[in-house]
Amino acid sequence: MSTPLASLKVSWLLAQKRLELIPHVPTDAEFTVVYPSELRDPREFLSPGDAAVVLTLGLAFEEDPESFEDYVIRLKAAGCAAIGFGTGLCFPAVPKSLISAATKHHIGLFEVPRKIPFLSILASVHGEFSRQLTRTQDRLLALQEELNKAAIHGGLEELLHRTSTVLESAVAVIDNDGRIHASADYQQLSAVDTARRAVATGRGLSRAEINSVIHRMASQGERHHIFVVVHHAPLHAQARALIKHSAGLADILLQRPSYLRKARSELNTLALSLLLGIGGQGQAISSALHSVTDSRGELRPMVVQADDAHRLQKTLSTIDERLGDHGRTFFALPLDETTALVVLRGTRGVQECAAHCGDHRSRLRIAVGAPVLWNQLSLQSVEELRTVAAATPRGDTSGPRTHGAKWLKDPVVQDILRRRTEEVLGRLRSHDRETGEELCDTLVAYVRAGGSMGLAAEQLGVHRHTMRSRVAKISRLIEVDIDDPLTRAELLLVVVANAPTSGTSG
């Protein structure tokens, strides 16, 4: 992170057209302050290290213009970047002796016409410095937010890795016993040895080519941690502010295990109370679900079904992250490798629930149930939602008013579907066992994709020609016209009714 102290180039000043400055000895030197002065020797009032632009009318040299060379020599020795000479009052033009001296001693020189007040130059420079400061502060806030996100989503390791990248430095965190808790190298730099030296001697490494910042973090009893940064060049104020911010975040992360331990203890107590029936199971469950129920004690179940286990895990991670961004707790229960139950607050709408799935939504089948009191959520209602999700086209969301598959549970319907399942899926499964083909999975993908060869092929990871060949073979084996929409609808019911339930596979 290379953000030096605010400075401007003399060439920038000359480029401000409204000032109408006229260069006589051009320079690309940088300056940090503009100082109007009519003293023959203004060095006493120039701060050491400041590269100044000195503005003068030459009043002190009106009778002695040949002394300009000594004047230039003194300003050059003081680190002056350029001289702005005002004409039209004491001197009608910039004196040749001043031009000659500035050229000889390599210091910038420009003319300020009489109609341009020195105050205009000061105002322009001050305005630009203010804009630079605002940009620097905005950048600092943005970087702090990056570090916050790294700490929240990636923990100590990710925080140090991001800090190392931002500062272009090596970073390490060590405790007073010499244990390295995390570290991040930068190019050839490592902060580990410096951290260990800091613990052993109380001092870090500081040579001409290597610098270190050692920040002692808050104590926890007899233990404390040290945040060490190693870098090639001295760090500026903004970088040091980021170091303090990152060290503060690291401090919170290192103390977090105590909070996690407390939460784990509460979870263990809940498990024992449920096992032994002590203290009332309803009360224990109500306490555990308190953060997900709304003010009426209601929650909203949502079943998410993906094409594969990897997609489901990425979806659950996205939901967890989005809930975390809103300070909400994540409740989820895998039903099988590709299906999971997620519980959200009862006040959430159907689309609001589905939106938590983020960009994965277009590749999921989602069924959102009606808000229900926490103690009325049952396995039967979850299985009904699961059946609805299985029947929902990929990329769609079914809500309480858009699904009505309870009739599928009717015993008569179930018996019919069982017989049809054996006729269709049973025949294909037998064929697959004998030949090693995957016609059963192909049929499931095809009917769920609404007869789209492209979508089904994408889901199975095969070429469309392979998909078309398999579908034709399925039609011959089960002796139906699979291209007929009514036939596909019947087969979809068979597939949905045969969807695996909790604790089963198939």
Side-chain angles (χ1 to χ4, degrees):
M1 179 184 178
S2 53
T3 306
L5 294 175
S7 64
L8 294 171
K9 287 189 174 184
V10 175
S11 56
W12 173 88
L13 187 59
L14 297 175
Q16 306 310 301
K17 294 183 178 180
R18 66 182 181 280
L19 298 178
E20 301 183 28
L21 305 178
I22 304 169
H24 287 275
V25 181
T27 180
D28 276 332
E30 294 186 350
F31 68 94
T32 59
V33 65
V34 177
Y35 177 60
S37 174
E38 296 303 328
L39 297 175
R40 293 179 69 91
D41 186 359
R43 288 180 295 177
E44 179 182 352
F45 301 98
L46 295 176
S47 300
D50 277 347
V53 169
V54 175
L55 303 179
T56 182
L57 297 171
L59 295 176
F61 303 95
E62 188 173 7
E63 304 297 332
D64 185 20
E66 297 304 319
S67 298
F68 272 125
E69 182 165 6
D70 292 337
Y71 176 72
V72 169
I73 291 173
R74 288 191 291 270
L75 291 184
K76 180 67 176 180
C80 182
I83 300 168
F85 194 85
T87 58
L89 188 61
C90 295
F91 293 87
V94 179
K96 290 184 179 180
S97 58
L98 179 57
I99 297 174
S100 177
T103 302
K104 178 180 177 181
H105 296 286
H106 307 290
I107 188 170
L109 175 64
F110 59 87
E111 180 179 346
V112 184
R114 181 170 181 176
K115 66 179 181 179
I116 304 298
F118 286 175
L119 186 60
S120 296
I121 298 175
L122 290 168
S124 293
V125 171
H126 176 74
E128 181 60 24
F129 279 153
S130 295
R131 283 188 287 274
Q132 283 191 9
L133 179 60
T134 298
R135 287 195 296 268
T136 299
Q137 290 174 336
D138 289 345
R139 172 65 172 158
L140 178 61
L141 290 174
L143 290 174
Q144 287 177 335
E145 183 60 26
E146 284 186 31
L147 296 181
N148 293 345
K149 290 181 179 179
I152 292 170
H153 301 301
L156 188 61
E157 291 284 354
E158 181 61 26
L159 171 64
L160 263 59
H161 175 75
R162 189 66 195 131
T163 302
S164 172
T165 301
V166 167
L167 296 177
E168 299 177 351
S169 306
V171 188
V173 172
I174 190 172
D175 63 24
N176 54 324
D177 290 328
R179 290 188 291 263
I180 297 291
H181 287 257
S183 64
D185 295 344
Y186 182 78
Q187 295 178 352
Q188 303 302 315
L189 287 178
S190 173
V192 172
D193 290 341
T194 303
R196 289 181 174 143
R197 186 179 296 107
V199 171
T201 66
R203 296 195 303 268
L205 184 67
S206 184
R207 302 199 303 264
E209 70 279 10
I210 300 292
N211 296 272
S212 62
V213 173
I214 299 173
H215 181 87
R216 176 167 171 158
M217 297 154 68
S219 298
Q220 301 174 44
E222 296 181 352
R223 187 181 64 169
H224 68 267
H225 295 84
I226 299 174
F227 193 93
V228 179
V229 179
V230 174
H231 44 98
H232 284 296
L235 295 175
H236 48 79
Q238 287 76 23
R240 292 182 178 275
L242 283 174
I243 290 174
K244 290 183 178 180
H245 185 75
S246 184
L249 292 171
D251 225 349
I252 294 172
L253 292 172
L254 288 166
Q255 291 185 41
R256 191 169 62 176
S258 62
Y259 299 115
L260 292 178
R261 182 176 178 81
K262 179 181 178 182
R264 179 69 189 187
S265 297
E266 292 175 352
L267 183 61
N268 293 341
T269 301
L270 172 62
L272 283 174
S273 68
L274 293 174
L275 176 64
L276 302 176
I278 299 174
Q281 294 187 12
Q283 182 180 353
I285 297 174
S286 175
S287 175
L289 295 175
H290 175 72
S291 62
V292 75
T293 54
D294 59 22
S295 59
R296 294 177 304 227
E298 291 184 337
L299 47 77
R300 191 150 207 170
M302 176 174 72
V303 170
V304 177
Q305 188 174 83
D307 292 334
D308 54 67
H310 178 67
R311 174 68 58 183
L312 178 65
Q313 290 306 313
K314 293 188 72 172
T315 300
L316 295 179
S317 296
T318 297
I319 297 173
D320 187 13
E321 181 178 333
R322 292 196 170 202
L323 289 172
D325 289 341
H326 291 85
R328 299 297 182 189
T329 310
F330 178 54
F331 284 78
L333 176 67
L335 302 177
D336 59 47
E337 288 187 353
T338 61
T339 312
L341 167 69
V342 178
V343 178
L344 302 165
R345 293 174 74 84
T347 52
R348 299 293 180 261
V350 172
Q351 296 305 319
E352 191 177 359
C353 290
H356 285 302
C357 298
D359 295 337
H360 305 291
R361 188 173 173 181
S362 62
R363 302 177 66 87
L364 303 171
R365 297 176 178 86
I366 302 172
V368 181
V372 61
L373 290 171
W374 67 266
N375 56 357
Q376 293 180 4
L377 181 65
S378 65
L379 181 59
Q380 180 181 350
S381 61
V382 172
E383 290 300 344
E384 289 175 358
L385 268 183
R386 185 184 197 175
T387 301
V388 172
T392 300
R394 186 169 66 164
D396 285 355
T397 300
S398 294
R401 299 182 181 179
T402 58
H403 63 76
K406 290 186 178 180
W407 58 271
L408 284 174
K409 299 296 182 181
D410 184 277
V412 176
V413 176
Q414 288 277 300
D415 185 58
I416 295 172
L417 288 175
R418 265 194 300 271
R419 291 200 301 270
R420 190 62 175 139
T421 295
E422 184 57 35
E423 292 173 4
V424 177
L425 298 184
R427 188 179 301 181
L428 293 180
R429 285 169 180 158
S430 297
H431 176 85
D432 289 348
R433 282 194 295 270
E434 294 173 3
T435 63
E437 293 185 282
E438 299 176 351
L439 297 188
C440 189
D441 290 344
T442 300
L443 176 63
V444 171
Y446 182 68
V447 297
R448 280 184 167 176
S452 169
M453 290 285 184
L455 286 177
E458 180 185 356
Q459 178 183 335
L460 294 175
V462 299
H463 196 275
R464 289 191 182 190
H465 295 314
T466 302
M467 190 69 195
R468 189 172 289 107
S469 175
R470 289 184 183 180
V471 169
K473 183 177 288 188
I474 291 170
S475 290
R476 292 194 300 272
L477 283 172
I478 63 177
E479 300 177 303
V480 298
D481 180 9
I482 203 169
D483 292 327
D484 179 46
L486 291 177
T487 301
R488 282 204 307 272
E490 178 196 8
L491 294 175
L492 179 60
L493 289 176
V494 170
V495 167
V496 170
N498 194 62
T501 58
S502 303
T504 65
S505 59

